[in-house]
Amino acid sequence: SFLGDGMRLSASLHGFSSDRGTPGAVVQGSLEQSAARLAERDLFGVAAASFFDAEWMATIGATGRANQLRYDDPESRITGPDGTHSRFWRNEGSLAGRVRRQFGTDRSLEISIEVSHAGLDGNNLDPSVGQRVARTQLSTAIAADWLMEHPFGNDELGLEAALRADIFSDVGNALSPSVGLNYRPTELPLRFRFHASGNFRAPSFTEQYYLNYGNAKLRPERSVSVDAGVVYQFGERLLADATFFLIDTRDLIVSVPRSPVSWSAMNVGHAVSRGAELGASGALFGDCLRLRIAWTRMLAEDHSGGAFNGKELPYSPQQTVNGFCQLNLGEVSCGLSASYASYRYSLPSNSPESVLPGYWIAGGNVAYRFVVASLPAAVRAEAQNLFDAEYHGIRNYPMPGRSFRVVMECGVR
């Protein structure tokens, strides 16, 4: 990046290439698609320019991506006697602009606009759409916030409001409002918050068009979400927080099994998720040690009124726990992480035989940062599933056991 008086320019380019096996489900001790392989090539670039002073900030940015997927399974006869050989090419780009105006220290207004286009070519898309699909999107948004420092004595009250409009060429249009409140009493180390919004999610190309999984008739998700919470601060570096939430979704997009080895995306007409999250975080010993733990209790149910009305949504655990600790000692850092997911159902019927047991997994990392030829560099060793837990994220698809990875990075200062 380049910094000047009131201007910043930045650009980056990322690419990767991989070729790996992609085994399928394990059914009655037999591994499906054992000879299948997936090769992927990806190139992604982003560039942005910002112009600012004490009251104004304007940003314009562009992104572009080219992606190629090649899937080969000589043992699969779904598409012909010679096996399955799928090729997909995806190209996408976007151009966005944003202007922010600051009014003193307590009010601001932001306006943004973005246009994007994505195209997907492939020899194995849903037959109803042919071998090419495309999507163009135009989005505009306006957001404002206002901080009132003394509405009630010396307390602080923050107000936020936003409105976003999306126009899609293939899945319809949406208008998404959002409002929020933040209240901080000066006599207590507390902060209260409330947020409500209307949300819209268009189905991805994978969910909508890929053969043997996609569903060309998928409808976009539309939801209303409400959450309220409180944060309690212990001194300057320790926080405890509690959040309560409710999400009411129409046409929720989920993956459901069609057989022990195949899946398809579909809409759930009406789903309701509600629950709470408790968490604690902090920094100790001058930021040398950072900690975070969060527990979530959630119930996600089908309220469509059909045969599964009142049943829990597949693969939605009622409880999850996530935590990490990170120790920084100069150029050396190390960390541990752990996560837990409770039991969940693999079928929308919630039958007892569809229960998948809960599981714990843990990971760790060690990193060393140094300088080579005036360039910052780092080497990092990572361990996933440290205790080699056996678990299934999805029924019949056992997750990897203990694995190790070493990563080297070098960047421009």
Side-chain angles (χ1 to χ4, degrees), residues 10-12 44-49 59-65 93-97 114-115:
S10 63
S12 62
F44 174 75
V46 57
T59 302
I60 184 170
T63 66
R65 162 165 275 145
S94 69
L95 182 64
E114 178 180 3
V115 60

Side-chain angles (χ1 to χ4, degrees), residues 92-121:
E92 57 187 45
S94 69
L95 182 64
R98 177 170 60 110
V99 176
R100 182 180 179 87
R101 172 72 159 89
Q102 190 73 34
F103 300 91
T105 60
D106 57 1
R107 287 173 293 168
S108 69
L109 179 68
E110 182 177 299
I111 299 174
S112 62
I113 184 169
E114 178 180 3
V115 60
S116 64
H117 180 80
L120 174 67
D121 294 86

Side-chain angles (χ1 to χ4, degrees), residues 2 18 28 41 50 59 84 87 110 125-126 160 183 186 224-225 252 258 271 305 360 367 401:
F2 169 79
S18 68
Q28 298 180 347
R41 311 288 184 266
S50 298
T59 302
T84 298
R87 304 291 184 266
E110 182 177 299
L125 300 181
D126 187 310
E160 302 171 356
Y183 174 62
T186 56
V224 175
S225 63
L252 176 69
R258 294 189 301 184
W360 278 97

Side-chain angles (χ1 to χ4, degrees), residues 125-183:
L125 300 181
D126 187 310
S128 66
V129 299
Q131 295 191 2
R132 176 170 175 77
V133 291
R135 173 180 296 166
T136 300
Q137 177 183 354
L138 174 64
S139 303
T140 61
I142 182 170
D145 60 76
W146 181 22
L147 177 64
M148 294 182 285
E149 294 188 355
H150 307 294
F152 314 108
N154 293 323
D155 298 349
E156 292 182 353
L157 178 65
L159 306 176
E160 302 171 356
L163 184 64
R164 177 185 174 98
D166 291 285
I167 301 173
F168 292 85
S169 61
D170 61 339
V171 293
N173 308 321
L175 195 64
S176 305
S178 172
V179 294
L181 298 172
N182 290 280
Y183 174 62

Side-chain angles (χ1 to χ4, degrees), residues 33-358:
Q33 293 99 42
S34 59
R37 296 197 65 83
L38 179 69
E40 183 175 8
R41 311 288 184 266
D42 189 273
L43 186 65
F44 174 75
V46 57
S50 298
F51 310 90
F52 49 89
D53 60 20
E55 296 181 342
W56 289 89
M57 179 176 180
T59 302
I60 184 170
T63 66
R65 162 165 275 145
N67 179 275
Q68 180 183 359
L69 285 175
R70 187 180 74 247
Y71 177 81
D72 294 292
D73 185 359
E75 298 177 353
S76 172
R77 301 295 187 265
I78 297 177
T79 59
D82 296 328
T84 298
H85 304 280
S86 301
R87 304 291 184 266
F88 302 102
W89 296 268
R90 179 170 177 173
N91 298 281
E92 57 187 45
S94 69
L95 182 64
R98 177 170 60 110
V99 176
R100 182 180 179 87
R101 172 72 159 89
Q102 190 73 34
F103 300 91
T105 60
D106 57 1
R107 287 173 293 168
S108 69
L109 179 68
E110 182 177 299
I111 299 174
S112 62
I113 184 169
E114 178 180 3
V115 60
S116 64
H117 180 80
L120 174 67
D121 294 86
N123 65 344
N124 219 0
L125 300 181
D126 187 310
S128 66
V129 299
Q131 295 191 2
R132 176 170 175 77
V133 291
R135 173 180 296 166
T136 300
Q137 177 183 354
L138 174 64
S139 303
T140 61
I142 182 170
D145 60 76
W146 181 22
L147 177 64
M148 294 182 285
E149 294 188 355
H150 307 294
F152 314 108
N154 293 323
D155 298 349
E156 292 182 353
L157 178 65
L159 306 176
E160 302 171 356
L163 184 64
R164 177 185 174 98
D166 291 285
I167 301 173
F168 292 85
S169 61
D170 61 339
V171 293
N173 308 321
L175 195 64
S176 305
S178 172
V179 294
L181 298 172
N182 290 280
Y183 174 62
R184 184 195 298 271
T186 56
E187 301 298 327
L188 296 171
L190 294 173
R191 185 172 75 250
F192 300 93
R193 63 178 185 270
F194 171 84
H195 183 257
S197 65
N199 312 294
F200 178 90
R201 185 176 85 83
S204 69
F205 278 169
T206 300
E207 294 167 331
Q208 200 165 16
Y209 298 122
Y210 279 79
L211 185 66
N212 299 320
Y213 175 76
N215 179 356
K217 298 181 180 180
L218 272 183
R219 299 177 299 276
E221 291 183 3
R222 299 176 189 268
S223 66
V224 175
S225 63
V226 178
D227 64 83
V230 59
V231 178
Y232 185 88
Q233 185 165 347
F234 301 86
E236 296 182 357
R237 296 182 176 273
L238 297 176
L239 297 173
D241 56 88
T243 302
F244 304 90
F245 59 88
L246 173 69
I247 306 172
D248 189 296
T249 307
R250 304 286 173 167
D251 295 323
L252 176 69
I253 299 172
V254 297
S255 297
V256 296
R258 294 189 301 184
S259 74
V261 298
S262 65
W263 295 74
S264 179
M266 65 167 286
N267 290 112
V268 175
H270 183 198
V272 176
S273 302
R274 59 186 183 275
E277 178 178 298
L278 302 178
S281 60
L284 303 174
F285 312 115
D287 284 342
C288 288
L289 180 63
R290 303 188 68 85
L291 307 161
R292 172 69 184 175
I293 186 169
W295 168 79
T296 302
R297 175 74 163 83
M298 182 182 73
L299 186 62
E301 295 178 324
D302 186 334
H303 283 204
S304 301
F308 304 130
N309 189 65
K311 301 292 187 179
E312 294 183 35
L313 298 178
Y315 297 104
S316 298
Q318 289 193 7
Q319 298 186 67
T320 59
V321 179
N322 293 280
F324 77 87
C325 63
Q326 190 76 24
L327 181 63
N328 299 303
L329 300 172
E331 291 80 16
V332 178
S333 64
C334 57
L336 291 172
S337 63
S339 62
Y340 166 76
S342 69
Y343 79 91
R344 58 259 184 250
Y345 297 102
S346 62
L347 295 175
S349 64
N350 292 182
S351 58
E353 61 271 15
S354 73
V355 172
L356 290 178

